[in-house]
Amino acid sequence: MSNKPPPPRPAPRLYLATPVVDDPASLVAELPGLLASADVAAVLLRLKETDQRTMISRIKALAPPVQKAGAALLVEDHAELVARGGADGAHLPGIAALKEALPSLKPDRIAGVGGLTTRHHSMDAGEMGADYLLFGEPDAKGQRPSAQAIAERLDWWAELFEPPCVGFAMSLQEAHDFAASGADFVLVGEFIWADPRGPKAALIEVDAAIKQAHATATTSQNPASQEHG
């Protein structure tokens, strides 16, 4: 039997959450440049609650620029609008929502899930067929685990389970730490849009930080890679 080390995990990719979208026009204009500037795998569309027809038209406006850039567009919560809006999937807020949405999303669309407060819930979501698990998002009261606890959960999941894990980062430092902990994707949102330099500069910076964190972590786990580097 070969005792070769397992292949290194690929570098984490960004998952960009939009602000809550009411009028999508400015975002439609801004997204192509943003998505071209960094390695963004997916965009999470947060829609302002209104009637279904309006929400579907907003998804239809945003899907083409995201998909043209090679990223997936996921809709937060509203699995029932995904197919009609031409999105690639939905992000569900917990086990019950995931279970309800899976029949309408699978096998053609992505079903991601967050709101997983325990390891048991996480394993349930993985067994149910979630395409990724998000750790670290704030709850309805704005509370969330410590960054260290989120990093530990990511590390545990990445070590033991197949479905990708996503770390919800609220700062550049958290994005770096979660990438080092084994996150396959790092979800970034508010701090990107709030950056005084503009979202593009913030996105480029965080993309570089997660790639650097991954490279450092990979090298430290496999010292042999330094000899051949």
Side-chain angles (χ1 to χ4, degrees):
M1 272 180 69
S2 166
N3 62 354
K4 277 175 68 175
R9 295 173 74 87
R13 303 184 67 196
L14 287 167
Y15 185 5
L16 177 64
T18 70
V20 176
V21 174
D22 188 359
D23 177 4
S26 62
L27 203 54
V28 168
E30 194 171 18
L31 274 173
L34 268 182
L35 299 178
S37 71
D39 182 22
V40 179
V43 173
L44 179 63
L45 174 57
R46 294 177 157 154
L47 289 166
K48 185 175 181 183
E49 292 292 332
T50 181
D51 63 280
Q52 282 205 348
R53 181 178 291 181
T54 303
M55 288 196 285
I56 289 167
S57 73
R58 287 172 187 161
I59 298 168
K60 284 181 173 175
L62 286 159
V66 171
Q67 292 161 346
K68 195 172 180 182
L73 181 71
L74 280 83
V75 180
E76 187 174 64
D77 293 0
H78 292 283
E80 74 282 1
L81 306 182
V82 166
R84 288 188 287 167
D88 298 287
H91 176 78
L92 292 318
I95 291 281
L98 174 68
K99 191 172 186 178
E100 187 181 332
L102 278 171
S104 68
L105 294 171
K106 292 292 195 172
D108 299 322
R109 291 183 167 82
I110 299 163
V113 64
L116 305 165
T117 52
T118 67
R119 291 187 176 201
H120 184 73
H121 278 167
S122 306
M123 290 188 283
D124 284 350
E127 286 170 8
M128 286 166 70
D131 290 297
Y132 70 79
L133 283 73
L134 174 66
F135 298 124
E137 78 274 32
D139 64 18
K141 296 177 183 171
Q143 305 293 312
R144 69 196 286 257
S146 69
Q148 184 182 347
I150 297 165
E152 286 169 359
R153 183 65 61 89
L154 290 163
D155 184 51
W156 163 74
W157 184 267
E159 193 73 27
L160 297 174
F161 302 100
E162 279 295 314
C165 58
V166 185
F168 185 106
M170 295 185 77
S171 66
L172 179 66
Q173 184 64 52
E174 286 190 0
H176 176 280
D177 294 349
F178 297 163
S181 297
D184 298 284
F185 301 91
V186 177
L187 180 71
V188 295
E190 287 174 24
F191 79 95
I192 297 292
W193 302 103
D195 194 298
R197 301 167 300 170
K200 185 184 280 190
L203 206 58
I204 291 169
E205 183 178 54
V206 77
D207 190 31
I210 66 174
K211 299 289 191 282
Q212 179 59 47
H214 173 264
T216 304
T218 304
T219 303
S220 66
Q221 286 163 6
N222 183 16
S225 65
Q226 291 172 298
E227 295 165 23
H228 307 297

